[in-house]
Amino acid sequence: MSESKSSETMNAYMIIACKMHDREAFINGYGKAVPLLVEKYGGKYLVVAGTLKGYSSVAISRWPSKQVALDFWYSEEYLEVKKLRENLADVEVLLVEAPEIL
């Protein structure tokens, strides 16, 4: 059995559950802008899909580390893009560290 990766080298997964109030505006603004930044900061979307109940959609992105994900989340660029979703959706965000899962 191999030893676990340390948290410094462990992947991070950002899990976002979203309830959209105006799907078209959300997708055409925030939804078009954020993937470019995710890629620029080293993230990769694994899942972007609708849900069965409760939320409109869910997105899961993989990051090389928790710190890289946080650098993206608190970047000036993302803070500007994040404004595009204001009043368009309720969003829940989780950031977890784990070995590669997908």
Side-chain angles (χ1 to χ4, degrees):
M1 182 180 263
S2 64
E3 291 183 30
S4 297
K5 289 181 170 183
S6 73
S7 62
E8 291 180 35
T9 60
M10 195 170 292
N11 290 320
Y13 296 87
M14 190 175 291
I15 304 162
I16 301 173
C18 177
K19 289 183 182 178
M20 293 180 222
H21 307 300
D22 184 338
R23 183 176 179 79
E24 186 175 326
F26 182 92
I27 290 172
N28 288 324
Y30 180 83
K32 287 185 177 180
V34 78
L36 302 172
L37 282 180
V38 167
E39 185 177 327
K40 177 180 177 179
Y41 277 83
K44 179 181 178 183
Y45 279 106
L46 302 177
V47 175
V48 177
T51 64
L52 294 176
K53 186 176 178 183
Y55 288 94
S56 306
S57 68
V58 66
I60 302 172
S61 55
R62 180 178 57 222
W63 299 82
S65 69
K66 181 179 177 181
Q67 187 58 56
V68 171
L70 291 172
D71 290 346
F72 157 78
W73 189 257
Y74 292 110
S75 71
E76 290 296 322
E77 292 167 297
Y78 180 67
L79 293 175
E80 284 300 310
V81 168
K82 192 173 169 182
K83 292 177 184 177
L84 296 173
R85 74 173 197 218
E86 286 180 6
N87 301 315
L88 298 178
D90 296 325
V91 179
E92 297 289 331
V93 181
L94 298 171
L95 182 61
V96 298
E97 291 180 297
E100 190 162 328
I101 56 175
L102 296 174

